[in-house]
Amino acid sequence: MQVIAQNRVCEWSYAASGAGLFAMVHAPDGTMQKVPAFKGGDGRLHLRFSAAACGVYQATLGWEDGSMHYPTGETEKIEVIAYRGENPLYLHGAPTRRNNRYLEHADGTPFFYLADTWWMGFTKRLPYPDGITELAADRQKKGFTAVQIVAGLYPDMPWGDIRGENEAGLPWDKDFSAINPAYFDEADKKITLIVERGMVPVIVGSWGFFAPLAGLDVLKQHWDMILARWAAYPVIFCLAGEASMPFYGAQVDREAYFAQSKRDWTELARYVRAQDPFRRCITIHAPDLGHIQLEDESLLDLDMLQTGHSAYRSLAHSVRSVKACAERNAMPVINSEACYEGICGASFADIQRYLFLGCVLSGACGHTYGANGIWQCNAPGEPYGVSPHGATWGNTPWTEAYRLPGSSHIGNAKRFLCQLDWWRLEQHPEWVERPCSYEEPDGLFSCGILGELRVIFNPNYGGEQWGQLRVLQLEPDTFYHAYYFDMIVNSLRDLGTAQADSNGGWLAPRVNILQDWILVLSKTELTI
């Protein structure tokens, strides 16, 4: 009998050939789930399992041949015991969707989605173990909770490019005739390390142009490998990156291509949902809005947006898009790609701060950060090189890019918000004299919880820097503790008590540094 802690993964293997091995796992509560095996680079068949509930589970092995199941008579018992530790993914479980505002861990604890972007993180340019350990430790320290990473079928290069190789080569033969299990063995090491650091791997199956390039049958086999290997881990699955975008520069009938793309990804979404024994969250990365990439958006748990890389010119569009998607109240929303720090020599820390707070305070369930040099894994002395469009996005190595200050600033802001009931925040533009119009960076973002909390982002772009910030519609005879939070240096300035005047307003002291600030009025005292 194997003994594992809650939400941790156990594995067993068999010296067998062929395909179709599975385990029917019987839980203590009487429910069952069918867990498929995968072929490893060692030629053996492996099965992986995890569970959130304690108790003894029994796995009965079987073979599947088309529609027929053949039990082998072999069984395995797994005892799941309580986890004793601090890793939030083992303590609380994988992210799941139970409402349309934010994600939760399996035990109901709110999950703040703060991701970093390592699209090409499985390649050799991010070496294992030293390189990825260094990067993951930094992101964990800064409060990141997720990593967006592509499972080998990459963007920004033609298929078969050696820049997509890891230590075992490419994930498939160049003609897609056979999958390469050894590639996934190498990727396993990085997935495990990310999880051990308390961050959720957001695994992107492929970039969108692989649907017409490789075909859905190949992509389904690709997902069979992904699901069998990694669904037992606390992961989120992303069907595709830039799902409806054709290969760079390809001349296509856009309307017809988009219609076919929606059919393809809808079919694949249904397939992944049906095959995943652990029912992990599913999303899709888009050139614009995630929910329009499928014919049936109810197959998604998370609406991923991409809102541009044009620095200041992308700000209003980004927060406006997030606000519009959140107001649909159809599913949680995340801006999954916008203005990588340093891309094209621009979009530095000021842009990162505005995007993070503008999106979160406009209804997003968190945010995705990216740094140029990390997403494509520029190695020291070995930059990624030119993209299919003929130029490079920038040559900063990942060893420098992870030190760019924007990641620290938004990490500070995320940790500060997480001491508040951030998941209960509602937008209240009427609480400030000059709320952002969402047409330009021209005002403040105001959220809160009636009678308990007010959170106001006073940005350098369009905020109230030269006069006093007036908070409106305070409850009469109510006292708040007032603070300015500086996310740049992670400091909290105590402003004393805030109480409504005869008109229901309160004047906050003028900022003492011209920069971004978070003004907080709280019924309880705050610290950092």
Side-chain angles (χ1 to χ4, degrees):
M1 178 186 293
Q2 293 200 49
V3 180
I4 57 169
Q6 290 168 290
N7 302 306
R8 302 202 72 164
V9 175
C10 69
E11 179 175 331
W12 61 100
S13 67
Y14 299 90
S17 60
L21 180 67
F22 67 90
M24 191 64 71
V25 181
H26 301 254
D29 64 1
T31 59
M32 293 186 295
Q33 63 189 110
K34 181 183 173 185
V35 177
F38 64 89
K39 185 178 181 179
D42 58 3
R44 295 173 66 87
L45 296 180
H46 301 253
L47 295 109
R48 288 175 177 168
F49 176 74
S50 66
C54 294
V56 176
Y57 294 73
Q58 179 164 301
T60 302
L61 300 184
W63 289 93
E64 188 171 32
D65 179 13
S67 61
M68 301 296 292
H69 295 174
Y70 304 96
T72 67
E74 294 184 69
T75 62
E76 296 278 349
K77 285 190 176 181
I78 307 113
E79 183 180 6
V80 179
I81 62 175
Y83 171 71
R84 309 293 184 190
E86 297 182 353
N87 187 316
L89 301 181
Y90 300 146
L91 191 62
H92 302 297
T96 189
R97 172 197 171 189
R98 294 192 181 94
N99 63 74
N100 293 335
R101 169 67 181 86
Y102 59 91
L103 298 178
E104 298 174 278
H105 291 276
D107 69 355
T109 302
F111 174 75
F112 193 110
Y113 186 113
L114 179 57
D116 198 14
T117 307
W118 307 357
W119 292 140
M120 300 181 190
F122 287 150
T123 66
K124 292 182 287 189
R125 292 186 304 282
L126 181 62
Y128 177 90
D130 293 343
I132 190 172
T133 298
E134 180 181 350
L135 179 57
D138 178 83
R139 277 9 193 181
Q140 179 190 32
K141 181 179 179 181
K142 290 173 179 173
F144 283 77
T145 61
V147 171
Q148 296 177 178
I149 193 165
V150 180
L153 302 180
Y154 291 118
D156 225 52
M157 66 176 79
W159 168 241
D161 194 309
I162 61 171
R163 292 177 295 181
E165 293 181 348
N166 70 9
E167 292 77 2
L170 294 169
W172 284 81
D173 288 353
K174 288 188 179 181
D175 62 357
F176 297 106
S177 59
I179 201 164
N180 177 11
Y183 175 94
F184 293 89
D185 289 347
E186 294 297 326
D188 272 349
K189 301 172 185 177
K190 294 183 176 180
I191 289 291
T192 302
L193 188 145
I194 291 167
V195 171
E196 286 293 320
R197 286 290 181 175
M199 296 183 291
V200 174
V202 182
I203 300 171
V204 184
S206 69
W207 225 246
F209 58 78
F210 279 92
L213 176 66
L216 286 190
D217 287 343
V218 166
L219 292 186
K220 288 176 181 178
Q221 293 177 61
H222 192 69
W223 273 100
D224 287 342
M225 178 68 82
I226 291 171
L227 291 166
R229 282 183 179 261
W230 297 327
Y233 290 88
V235 298
I236 293 172
F237 289 131
C238 181
L239 299 168
E242 293 184 328
S244 58
M245 191 186 80
F247 190 76
Y248 311 90
Q251 300 300 308
V252 299
D253 180 324
R254 293 280 175 165
E255 185 175 347
Y257 189 94
F258 184 49
Q260 183 60 53
S261 174
K262 291 177 71 171
R263 289 192 291 271
D264 287 344
W265 296 117
T266 300
E267 179 179 338
L268 195 68
R270 291 196 175 106
Y271 182 81
V272 172
R273 278 232 178 265
Q275 299 300 314
D276 180 6
F278 296 91
R279 302 295 187 265
R280 300 308 189 202
C281 285
I282 292 178
T283 186
I284 193 164
H285 174 274
D288 39 35
L289 308 178
H291 67 270
I292 68 172
Q293 304 301 305
L294 272 64
E295 293 178 322
D296 180 3
E297 67 174 85
S298 70
L299 294 167
L300 301 176
D301 297 298
L302 180 66
D303 197 359
M304 276 188 163
L305 281 57
Q306 180 183 173
T307 59
H309 288 284
S310 298
Y312 181 87
R313 290 178 295 161
S314 292
L315 296 183
H317 169 68
S318 295
V319 295
R320 184 168 61 245
S321 297
V322 165
K323 180 178 173 65
C325 288
E327 287 178 346
R328 297 174 66 245
N329 194 33
M331 68 188 85
V333 174
I334 199 78
N335 196 343
S336 65
E337 182 177 337
C339 296
Y340 293 149
E341 188 166 8
I343 195 168
C344 304
S347 296
F348 290 104
D350 53 346
I351 299 296
Q352 306 308 316
R353 295 192 299 269
Y354 191 101
L355 282 171
F356 173 80
L357 284 166
C359 290
V360 170
L361 299 184
S362 296
C365 65
H367 190 64
T368 298
Y369 169 85
N372 194 66
I374 295 179
W375 69 266
Q376 72 272 57
C377 299
N378 286 331
E382 186 188 350
Y384 174 73
V386 299
S387 300
H389 52 64
T392 178
W393 295 101
N395 291 330
T396 305
W398 69 263
T399 50
E400 295 178 19
Y402 83 74
R403 295 182 172 92
L404 290 170
S407 60
S408 295
H409 299 174
I410 67 171
N412 292 339
K414 177 261 181 180
R415 287 194 301 271
F416 181 70
L417 290 176
C418 281
Q419 71 171 302
L420 313 173
D421 287 354
W422 59 268
W423 61 94
R424 296 173 57 206
L425 294 177
E426 296 181 345
Q427 294 178 58
H428 286 281
E430 73 279 6
W431 286 352
V432 293
E433 290 184 321
R434 195 161 53 82
C436 182
S437 69
Y438 289 87
E439 297 300 322
E440 297 290 342
D442 57 1
L444 292 81
F445 297 86
S446 178
C447 288
I449 305 168
L450 282 170
E452 298 181 34
L453 178 69
R454 300 188 179 211
V455 179
I456 298 169
F457 175 38
N458 182 7
N460 184 47
Y461 290 137
E464 186 59 78
Q465 302 289 319
W466 296 97
Q468 289 183 297
L469 191 165
R470 185 171 178 82
V471 183
L472 306 178
Q473 299 185 19
L474 283 171
E475 301 87 347
D477 303 319
T478 299
F479 293 86
Y480 285 93
H481 300 278
Y483 305 90
Y484 272 133
F485 177 67
D486 181 349
M487 73 196 85
I488 297 174
V489 298
N490 197 39
S491 68
L492 194 65
R493 176 184 168 195
D494 192 333
L495 305 177
T497 300
Q499 183 183 20
D501 59 23
S502 59
N503 295 316
W506 176 74
L507 281 174
R510 185 190 170 188
V511 299
N512 58 0
I513 304 174
L514 299 176
Q515 62 173 47
D516 298 324
W517 289 94
I518 302 175
L519 174 66
V520 179
L521 275 59
S522 173
K523 293 302 295 291
T524 59
E525 293 188 53
L526 303 179
T527 60
I528 55 171

